[in-house]
Amino acid sequence: EKGTYPHFMLKEIDEQPIVMRKIINEYQDADNALKLDEDIRKAMQETDRVYIIAAGTSYHAGLVGKEFLEKLANIPVEVHVASEFSYNMPLLSEKPLFVFISQSGETADSRSVLVKIKELGHPALTITNVPGSTLSREADYTLHLHAGPEIAVASTKAYTAQIAVLAILAVDTAQAKNLNLDFDPLQELALVANAMEVLTDQKEEVEQLTRNYLATTRNAFFIGRSADYNVSLEGALKLKEISYIQAEGFAGGELKHGTIALIEEGTPVIALATQENVNYSIRGNVQEVVARGANALVISMKGLEQDEDAFVLPKVHELLTPLISVVPLQLLAYYAALHRDCDVDKPRNLAKSVTVE
Ligand code: F6R
């Protein structure tokens, strides 16, 4: 039920802090340590390479998860679009572990990969919001997202739940491997939940940004480097799927290799700046597009902000910034769709779960 909300999407954006707290509870034991299935822990310890398989927004969450697993748990990770992997399988490592990320657990493209890798005898873990779903039943292990039903076609709270669960999985694996980490995911996720609440209270500001930057445009670019690049892909997907504005996410440094030709007077470029080590270089990329007439909207994180930034995010752990930088992007997409009289919850040509290949 959407209660007093005009759309499920807005309700689901607002539920994200609650979902973070639910995940913290579900994955915490009585001693405040991480609680995870022993078999999953073992599978993570035994693998020499994780293959993440997903589609759309879940694929974007997988890109963020790769960073967690590589940086925290020291496991090499490949992230693949399910529909591509299915027909063009890469060379596999000796002990691959397949991780399927799927809100619905019913995506046919992912299922087709699951069937193939099971024939080859490889283990599979499904991370899903629907524990009884096909991908959950057919995999060896399941991690539950605990996001509650997601009704709007555009995925919001499932994306952030996927990222939170991937962070927990990475840290649990690191602990099982006795790696020394100075990162408590449950504490950091609690801070993320608070930051998300601050952001969901800033709807009016984001609505105003939508008017300033996206009111009449036919296209928009999202740029970022490193973790921000992964989120810029998701920001672009949200905007295009519900507002029908043509949008693309790009790595900040890659624009000049071709795409910058599309920048004209007034082209909106939404830049994320949440990562200290690339703050200087992403700002260089912003200057490059501004010099060609772009209308640049910089979203930075507290501590890295500059005077001209239009929106400053509360500070959270640098690895977890995708969980908060995506919130204003979800809201931008929402208001852009609303202002264009689009059907926010049921965009044209799309279904909530894609059960055909
Ligand atoms: C975008 C969106 C889709 C899904 C994709 C995978 O907002 O919802 O891109 O993320 O179809 O769906 P699941 O996660 O159910 O496998």
Side-chain angles (χ1 to χ4, degrees):
E1 263 315 302
K2 48 180 195 256
T4 56
Y5 281 95
H7 298 100
F8 281 107
M9 183 180 178
L10 196 61
K11 173 172 180 270
E12 289 160 6
I13 290 172
D14 269 6
E15 282 171 348
Q16 293 177 109
I18 305 166
V19 173
M20 290 298 115
R21 294 188 184 116
K22 170 91 175 145
I23 289 171
I24 294 168
N25 267 325
E26 293 289 339
Y27 286 99
Q28 185 169 39
D29 72 10
D31 306 318
N32 296 338
L34 290 182
K35 186 176 72 184
L36 229 82
D37 184 345
E38 217 27 76
D39 294 334
I40 297 178
R41 203 165 267 168
K42 233 173 108 203
M44 291 296 292
Q45 273 176 280
E46 280 170 5
T47 184
D48 62 356
R49 183 174 292 252
V50 165
Y51 293 80
I52 293 180
I53 309 291
T57 288
S58 298
Y59 169 75
H60 295 157
L63 297 174
V64 177
K66 170 184 164 82
E67 265 202 67
F68 298 160
L69 288 167
E70 294 197 332
K71 290 186 176 152
L72 298 170
N74 214 11
I75 305 179
V77 179
E78 292 180 22
V79 193
H80 291 273
V81 166
S83 57
E84 278 299 303
F85 191 99
S86 209
Y87 298 98
N88 192 6
M89 207 183 283
L91 273 180
L92 299 181
S93 66
E94 246 168 69
K95 292 181 190 162
L97 172 65
F98 282 82
V99 175
F100 293 86
I101 306 179
S102 175
Q103 188 286 128
S104 64
E106 300 296 343
T107 298
D109 288 323
S110 298
R111 166 132 200 273
S112 136
V113 177
L114 178 55
V115 169
K116 285 187 179 125
I117 65 104
K118 277 284 127 202
E119 277 166 15
L120 296 172
H122 299 309
L125 159 67
T126 291
I127 302 180
T128 182
N129 206 22
V130 187
S133 58
T134 308
L135 287 171
S136 166
R137 280 184 280 111
E138 295 181 0
D140 303 277
Y141 323 105
T142 297
L143 280 176
H144 187 186
L145 293 174
H146 297 288
E150 192 182 61
I151 310 292
V153 164
S155 183
T156 53
K157 63 176 180 172
Y159 170 79
T160 44
Q162 286 162 347
I163 291 174
V165 169
L166 285 161
I168 288 171
L169 178 66
V171 173
D172 187 81
T173 307
Q175 288 171 351
K177 290 170 118 185
N178 286 321
L179 298 174
N180 239 335
L181 283 191
D182 128 42
F183 177 78
D184 177 343
L186 300 179
Q187 250 173 34
E188 299 295 346
L189 287 172
L191 297 177
V192 163
N194 297 344
M196 283 174 161
E197 242 159 29
V198 172
L199 293 169
T200 52
D201 282 342
Q202 287 180 290
K203 294 192 185 69
E204 277 170 30
E205 286 94 318
V206 180
E207 185 166 17
Q208 190 53 50
L209 292 175
T210 313
R211 283 199 196 90
N212 296 351
Y213 290 88
L214 299 173
T216 57
T217 192
R218 293 186 52 203
N219 60 359
F221 294 94
F222 291 74
I223 61 170
R225 285 173 176 254
S226 157
D228 292 334
Y229 169 45
N230 297 330
V231 181
S232 70
L233 295 174
E234 174 59 10
L237 179 58
K238 282 294 89 91
L239 186 65
K240 61 188 145 188
E241 73 179 316
I242 61 170
S243 76
Y244 316 139
I245 296 171
Q246 188 190 357
E248 295 304 331
F250 278 97
E254 187 65 9
L255 267 188
K256 62 180 173 297
H257 297 288
T259 309
I260 201 163
L262 291 172
I263 305 290
E264 302 175 340
E265 200 56 44
T267 305
V269 176
I270 296 147
L272 295 177
T274 73
Q275 304 291 305
E276 193 171 4
N277 70 328
V278 292
N279 194 29
Y280 179 79
S281 42
I282 190 67
R283 288 176 187 283
N285 301 134
V286 170
Q287 281 168 7
E288 286 159 13
V289 294
V290 167
R292 285 152 181 95
N295 195 11
L297 189 181
V298 180
I299 300 177
S300 58
M301 192 168 66
K302 187 122 197 71
L304 300 177
E305 77 270 29
Q306 295 187 1
D307 288 345
E308 63 272 23
D309 297 355
F311 196 88
V312 180
L313 302 159
K315 193 169 168 58
V316 298
H317 192 287
E318 209 174 38
L319 276 173
L320 298 183
T321 56
L323 290 170
I324 62 153
S325 57
V326 77
V327 177
L329 303 188
Q330 294 167 341
L331 288 168
L332 270 178
Y334 175 78
Y335 287 114
L338 199 66
H339 295 170
R340 284 164 195 244
D341 282 327
C342 300
D343 188 345
V344 170
D345 283 339
K346 287 200 174 64
R348 69 186 180 207
N349 308 342
L350 292 172
K352 183 65 186 160
S353 64
V354 185
T355 51
V356 290
E357 273 183 57

